[in-house]
Amino acid sequence: MVEHARKKQKLEDVLNPNEEQKLRNVHQVHSLFFIIGILCLLFILGTTKRIMYNAPDLTDKNLPFVGIEAWKDLKALNDMGPKVTGTKENEVLAVNYIKKRIDNIIKRSDPAQSIQFDHQIVSGSFHLNFDPGMAAVYQDIQNLVVRVEGDSPNALLINCHFDSVFGSPGANDDIANCAIMLEILSILSIKTVKNRHTIVFLFNGAEEMGLKGAHGFITKHKWAKDCKVLINLEAAGSGGKEILFQSGPGNSWLINHYHSVRRPFAQVSSEEIFQSGVIPSDTDYRIFRDFGNMVGLDFAHFVKGYRYHTKFDHIDYLSIGNIQRTGENVLELALSIANGDELDNLDKFDKTDLAVYFDYLGIVLVNYTKEIGSIINFIVTILAITVPYLSLKKSTVSIHSKHILKETFLGLISMFVGIAASLLVCYVTAYFLDKTGHSMSWYRNNFMAIGIYSSATVWFLLLAYDVFDMVFASKHSPVSLGLKVQARINGVNILWGILTLGLTILGIRSAYLFMIVLLINLFSTVGIFLLKLQNSVHKWLYVFLIGQIFITLWASYFKTAVTEMFIPITGRIGNKPNPDAIVAVISCVTTVFIVSYFIPLTHLLKGKTLKYTVIMSLFFISIFVATSTSIGFPYQDESTGNPVVQRHYVVHTTRTFYDINGHVRKADSGILFIEWDRNCLKTIEGVTMPVQPQTLEEMCDDEPFCGLPIVFSRMFMFGMKWLPSKPPKLMDYAVLNTYSKTVLSADLVNYQFTVNSTKLMGIYVHPRNGTEMVGWSFSDEVESVANKTYLAHIAFGIPKKPLYFDITLKTSNVESNQPIVDVNLVTLRSDRQEDYTDGFKDIIKRFPSWSFPVPLLSGVSAYQF
């Protein structure tokens, strides 16, 4: 009886504490736990970052894939240097090396295997719907194709590209994947039993020139019709784990095969982010999907994107471990698909059958259909909100349920207001740093984004929570502090529940990100309920924190991936967007994702002073470091072993403009600087001192695209500066060899042209007022564009013959002596260093060691007809 009375009194003290008990509230914890919590969060963030770089143990002698063999091929191809389509390095050295390796593999293959090789040289054109008004044209580019015959002709296609961009050896993008494919081909060649289905290996030679190699294969190769499913291997970084970031379209069975890999890394959120267009890139996957009606899986390495498309995409910055990891995964996946049932029955599968897929810390892969995902999201959300409320209601014997409800909504509203305030403060901070000349202070040292934007987020989440508590919380609530905090935690559940259901209703599969958080917290709540710990002093907190370990790992895993992906991208989005605003929003949102459940817990701290002192100090110290020390400088050179460079294209250009009679109406030359990031202008002005380069507004006239040597219209999203100079020595740039005119009707005229072939060319066609282009030989249709300037981006693999093209115009001035159309020819060359002038060499030398200037030569020939 005495023991029963004591327990009853203890319960009463928890439910209805008197003033003295409130004063010495047993639920409170020491303020130092706030610092411990911050340190634990930082440790978890560091752990998830290490997971991104996790590679297998190479001491295992029973590995299914031999990474060291692939490494040999990678080194040989890497040492050839940049392999730009049309250059000797790409068209001769790389092609011959890969052909020789394939030939050796075929020679030593098992008699059970039937392996065929084809060297495709192909020409064609197509329309790129993600760049309005642009046609992609290719002439005599090279693809190397190997067919490993299976019992069925229906084939799995595995694709890489061996070409690279100007100035980059392309070690990770993409010859590492080509080396992996060569080793997989070698492994398959000595199997004593055929696979159920055929496997086709495509080593394509013109991906970086606008996905042209893939188009040449899938639309013109004799084996293309047999290819049903794709594994595409790409890179947007340098090393790390390869992520599955696109799948389908539809065909959720594809993800079932991905379960065969032992080291999964897949997030459907990456697929939705990539396909939204916010990432300025694309892969061959688009070509196979759109032109070959194929389904498949798209993989890419993305960490260390600072080195992507620079000279530092080099073997020296890669590891055999990552080659091993990717090779094992691709081999296991290829064997699973090639020996499955689906390739013979693809008509039975629905392309609208979308999958939700994700891995948890690379340990386990989860996938289910979108429809099942919607059901899961609704069930988990409802349970995650109602179970905690009913548990707390029961723990108070329904006496104080209205107070529990009030505290729940107080937790929800304070979180909403805190998020809004945090976003505003982060944006204002980003604006301040940009305007004071300290943009991208986090670019080299990512932790600066945590110090500036994450600390600001936590600061204002805490402030909103405490202000709402002071203003709206009842001063005489009979509910204990522990129950209040549990109720406010349920307010956070409602926040993520609203987001989960909203995204689910909108058909966005990434709702799983928040559903997982709700699910883990639901398990914690059920544990607290079953153990009857709601009214305990601290025991409920221990169970809750165990669940938070898994939530924090999950949220930090996502934050790390997003940060690793987007921070390097800000170095190649041009000078117009404010990169600090982008990173501020990303940091704010991902920080809320991580700390949302911890904010109510701070109400348990015995004092408020320490938490604000710590967070405000972190924020202001980070601002000081960003603005007043070298740590906030965005770039570093290769001497550190971890280059983070500023990118530049520097194009020495000669321009000749002809009138309608073929006479030169003007000619000039200069150096075009293309600004790849927000800080490039400062560097350019330092390089050109004491002369200041001209802006486009100062030098641009009525010429199409200002008469500039631009071969992608999207480059006008970037800032550009022009410095008049002596002309380059470039001799072999594109000019019209011949042209003829045919009047087709009273309002239609056709022009035919031949142009000498070069490595890389752009052709602009700009119909003048009163004239409309209704056809050209580069694509079947002419897409309407706002500026009426149409661009053909042309890559030559093995230049052997002139380029022919024609245009058809609708005009009321068929017989007029006035020009009705402008046609500009642009040539870009990266392989003519002997044509650099001393002045141009001096400009390149002036760039600082932490920058990466890509010197190019260009010729512009502009005509009127």
Side-chain angles (χ1 to χ4, degrees):
M1 290 292 292
V2 174
E3 180 67 19
H4 177 73
R6 189 181 65 81
K7 289 184 177 180
K8 184 176 181 181
Q9 182 60 45
K10 185 176 180 180
L11 177 60
E12 183 64 22
D13 290 342
V14 172
L15 293 176
N16 297 297
N18 59 36
E19 293 302 319
E20 181 182 356
Q21 290 164 336
K22 288 180 180 179
L23 189 63
R24 61 176 178 81
N25 203 312
V26 294
H27 292 276
Q28 290 184 326
V29 297
H30 199 283
S31 296
L32 287 176
F33 279 101
F34 182 77
I35 297 177
I36 295 172
I38 294 291
L39 293 176
C40 288
L41 288 175
L42 293 175
F43 175 77
I44 290 175
L45 276 171
T47 300
T48 55
K49 188 165 186 175
R50 286 192 293 273
I51 290 173
M52 291 291 168
Y53 293 87
N54 183 45
D57 180 8
L58 296 178
T59 61
D60 184 353
K61 301 302 182 182
N62 298 312
L63 294 173
F65 177 89
V66 187
I68 189 65
E69 295 298 324
W71 188 262
K72 295 175 185 177
D73 291 324
L74 169 58
K75 184 173 186 342
L77 290 164
N78 174 88
D79 291 349
M80 296 172 188
K83 292 166 284 295
V84 180
T85 300
T87 63
K88 176 183 177 182
E89 290 76 12
N90 194 67
E91 308 304 330
V92 178
L93 298 183
V95 166
N96 287 346
Y97 180 86
I98 296 172
K99 283 175 65 176
K100 184 177 180 180
R101 282 285 289 116
I102 293 170
D103 184 56
N104 288 338
I105 289 170
I106 293 175
K107 284 180 179 178
R108 66 179 183 82
S109 63
D110 190 271
Q113 301 297 329
S114 173
I115 304 176
Q116 303 172 61
F117 168 72
D118 186 60
H119 182 183
Q120 183 189 29
I121 300 175
V122 62
S123 302
S125 63
F126 59 101
H127 175 66
L128 286 174
N129 57 13
F130 58 85
D131 203 337
M134 177 175 163
V137 184
Y138 51 95
Q139 187 163 297
D140 296 324
I141 65 167
Q142 301 185 82
N143 289 326
L144 306 175
V145 196
V146 185
R147 181 184 179 106
V148 181
E149 204 72 47
D151 293 328
S152 164
N154 293 324
L156 164 68
L157 174 66
I158 309 177
N159 174 70
C160 72
H161 66 88
F162 57 85
D163 67 314
S164 64
V165 297
F166 301 125
S168 175
N172 203 192
D173 181 27
D174 191 34
I175 56 175
N177 287 318
C178 289
I180 287 168
M181 284 172 50
L182 284 171
E183 178 58 18
I184 292 174
L185 174 61
S186 178
I187 291 169
L188 296 181
S189 71
I190 57 175
K191 284 183 61 180
T192 57
V193 179
K194 279 187 177 182
N195 291 306
R196 177 171 180 176
H197 299 289
T198 298
I199 301 179
V200 174
F201 293 81
L202 171 60
F203 303 84
N204 88 68
E207 190 271 350
E208 298 292 3
M209 288 294 135
L211 317 178
K212 296 180 173 69
H215 185 270
F217 171 79
I218 202 63
T219 60
K220 298 179 181 293
H221 197 275
K222 59 186 177 182
W223 295 334
K225 66 180 184 302
D226 294 331
C227 296
K228 310 298 182 183
V229 179
L230 167 73
I231 296 176
N232 188 53
L233 303 178
E234 256 293 357
S238 178
K241 298 162 63 172
E242 81 290 342
I243 186 171
L244 169 59
F245 71 103
Q246 288 193 99
S247 67
N251 292 270
S252 58
W253 62 267
L254 281 165
I255 307 300
N256 293 332
H257 282 287
Y258 189 60
H259 278 279
S260 63
V261 309
R262 65 180 74 181
R263 298 179 178 89
F265 185 29
Q267 298 289 331
V268 76
S269 57
S270 298
E271 177 177 323
E272 293 189 321
I273 290 171
F274 187 84
Q275 293 182 353
S276 71
V278 300
I279 296 177
S281 186
D282 218 320
T283 75
D284 286 328
Y285 174 90
R286 172 192 284 267
I287 299 298
F288 294 117
R289 180 195 66 194
D290 294 354
F291 292 91
N293 198 33
M294 292 183 67
V295 299
L297 302 169
D298 202 5
F299 295 88
H301 300 90
F302 71 92
V303 300
K304 294 297 180 183
Y306 307 109
R307 302 195 282 258
Y308 171 68
H309 282 188
T310 74
K311 67 180 179 181
F312 302 111
D313 184 7
H314 192 279
I315 192 172
D316 290 347
Y317 298 97
L318 300 180
S319 74
I320 298 179
N322 287 320
I323 301 298
Q324 179 69 39
R325 173 200 156 82
T326 301
E328 286 182 21
N329 281 353
V330 175
L331 175 60
E332 290 161 352
L333 177 61
L335 288 173
S336 179
I337 294 175
N339 291 287
D341 299 327
E342 293 85 2
L343 268 67
D344 289 332
N345 302 286
L346 281 180
D347 292 341
K348 296 180 180 179
F349 297 100
D350 187 355
K351 283 195 174 183
T352 63
D353 179 24
L354 298 175
V356 177
Y357 56 87
F358 56 89
D359 72 287
Y360 187 85
L361 305 180
I363 299 170
V364 62
L365 178 72
V366 179
N367 73 288
Y368 41 78
T369 65
K370 182 181 177 182
E371 290 73 19
I372 291 176
S374 297
I375 296 171
I376 292 174
N377 292 348
F378 274 95
I379 292 173
V380 170
T381 299
I382 293 169
L383 291 177
I385 294 171
T386 57
V387 169
Y389 173 73
L390 294 175
S391 173
L392 293 174
K393 182 178 178 181
K394 183 177 181 180
S395 69
T396 60
V397 201
S398 300
I399 299 173
H400 305 307
S401 59
K402 66 176 182 179
H403 296 287
I404 295 296
L405 191 61
K406 178 181 178 181
E407 296 293 343
T408 299
F409 280 99
L410 192 60
L412 170 64
I413 299 302
S414 61
M415 188 60 66
F416 264 121
V417 173
I419 293 171
S422 299
L423 283 168
L424 177 61
V425 171
C426 285
Y427 183 83
V428 170
T429 303
Y431 182 83
F432 166 77
L433 290 173
D434 184 60
K435 289 301 180 183
T436 56
H438 298 99
S439 184
M440 301 176 68
S441 59
W442 33 261
Y443 187 65
R444 173 169 59 104
N445 296 308
N446 293 178
F447 64 84
M448 291 298 297
I450 296 175
I452 297 173
Y453 299 118
S454 294
S455 63
T457 300
V458 174
W459 180 3
F460 279 84
L461 288 174
L462 291 172
L463 187 62
Y465 189 87
D466 286 339
V467 168
F468 269 77
D469 183 67
M470 288 186 293
V471 174
F472 297 105
S474 173
K475 304 297 186 292
H476 305 288
S477 173
V479 178
S480 70
L481 179 59
L483 292 174
K484 280 184 180 181
V485 171
Q486 292 177 70
R488 293 185 186 182
I489 287 172
N490 198 31
V492 180
N493 283 334
I494 296 174
L495 168 70
W496 296 127
I498 291 171
L499 189 54
T500 301
L501 295 183
L503 293 176
T504 301
I505 291 170
L506 292 173
I508 298 174
R509 290 171 286 163
S510 297
Y512 76 91
L513 287 167
F514 313 106
M515 181 276 293
I516 294 298
V517 169
L518 291 170
L519 181 62
I520 296 173
N521 202 59
L522 176 61
F523 287 143
S524 298
T525 302
V526 171
I528 292 169
F529 173 75
L530 293 177
L531 296 173
K532 299 180 180 180
L533 301 177
Q534 303 94 316
N535 294 313
S536 64
V537 176
H538 290 143
K539 290 180 181 177
W540 73 267
L541 181 59
Y542 302 147
V543 175
F544 175 77
L545 288 176
I546 290 172
Q548 284 304 301
I549 293 173
F550 295 98
I551 289 177
T552 306
L553 281 167
W554 171 251
S556 298
Y557 190 58
F558 177 74
K559 177 180 175 64
T560 300
V562 170
T563 301
E564 286 283 340
M565 182 184 300
F566 277 97
I567 283 185
I569 284 176
T570 60
R572 56 181 191 269
I573 59 174
N575 69 327
K576 295 177 184 178
N578 178 359
D580 267 80
I582 296 170
V583 172
V585 171
I586 291 173
S587 297
C588 181
V589 171
T590 54
T591 300
V592 171
F593 194 30
I594 292 173
V595 306
S596 59
Y597 285 106
F598 292 104
I599 298 301
L601 293 185
T602 61
H603 204 44
L604 296 174
L605 299 174
K606 288 184 177 179
K608 294 181 172 63
T609 304
L610 182 62
K611 66 182 181 184
Y612 283 112
T613 301
V614 169
I615 292 298
M616 292 170 68
S617 298
L618 181 59
F619 174 75
F620 286 114
I621 290 172
S622 298
I623 292 291
F624 173 78
V625 170
T627 57
S628 305
T629 74
S630 61
I631 295 175
F633 185 70
Y635 316 103
Q636 63 188 16
D637 60 26
E638 59 188 305
S639 64
T640 63
N642 184 29
V644 179
V645 294
Q646 184 184 68
R647 302 159 186 264
H648 296 268
Y649 271 11
V650 189
V651 191
H652 197 185
T653 306
T654 182
R655 308 192 303 173
T656 307
F657 300 85
Y658 300 91
D659 63 20
I660 194 170
N661 297 312
H663 302 137
V664 176
R665 54 188 171 89
K666 65 176 179 177
D668 65 4
S669 57
I671 299 174
L672 180 68
F673 300 89
I674 299 176
E675 302 170 48
W676 282 80
D677 75 24
R678 191 75 159 185
N679 297 318
C680 280
L681 180 57
K682 297 177 189 177
T683 307
I684 293 168
E685 289 176 342
V687 166
T688 62
M689 285 181 63
V691 180
Q692 289 298 301
Q694 299 175 358
T695 65
L696 290 190
E697 290 75 15
E698 293 171 328
M699 58 82 61
C700 193
D701 47 29
D702 267 346
E703 305 296 336
F705 284 166
C706 299
L708 293 174
I710 303 299
V711 293
F712 280 110
S713 59
R714 286 181 293 174
M715 292 303 295
F716 271 89
M717 296 163 50
F718 290 30
M720 300 183 195
K721 295 295 180 287
W722 177 264
L723 181 69
S725 72
K726 293 181 179 179
K729 302 173 186 176
L730 183 66
M731 301 297 291
D732 55 344
Y733 60 91
V735 294
L736 283 181
N737 289 340
T738 63
Y739 85 93
S740 58
K741 172 182 176 181
T742 303
V743 177
L744 302 177
S745 67
D747 61 351
L748 287 178
V749 60
N750 178 262
Y751 287 92
Q752 305 92 40
F753 307 96
T754 57
V755 181
N756 60 305
S757 59
T758 63
K759 306 292 186 186
L760 174 62
M761 180 194 307
I763 298 177
Y764 304 152
V765 178
H766 178 74
R768 298 197 171 194
N769 290 338
T771 302
E772 176 185 358
M773 190 169 80
V774 295
W776 63 347
S777 54
F778 295 136
S779 61
D780 294 333
E781 57 185 46
V782 176
E783 184 180 15
S784 177
V785 290
N787 61 6
K788 289 188 66 177
T789 301
Y790 300 88
L791 170 62
H793 178 276
I794 306 164
F796 295 84
I798 311 172
K800 294 186 295 187
K801 55 184 180 293
L803 174 73
Y804 166 85
F805 72 99
D806 70 85
I807 58 175
T808 301
L809 305 171
K810 184 176 182 179
T811 178
S812 57
N813 302 313
V814 170
E815 301 297 341
S816 172
N817 292 325
Q818 297 300 314
I820 61 173
V821 64
D822 295 281
V823 177
N824 287 15
L825 309 180
V826 176
T827 302
L828 274 184
R829 297 295 297 265
S830 65
D831 59 341
R832 293 296 296 268
Q833 288 84 353
E834 65 271 19
D835 288 340
Y836 292 176
T837 64
D838 290 340
F840 187 53
K841 291 177 183 176
D842 182 59
I843 286 287
I844 299 301
K845 287 179 182 178
R846 291 186 190 180
F847 277 90
S849 61
W850 41 260
S851 66
F852 176 61
V854 178
L856 300 169
L857 299 179
S858 177
V860 177
S861 304
Y863 302 88
Q864 296 176 346
F865 299 99

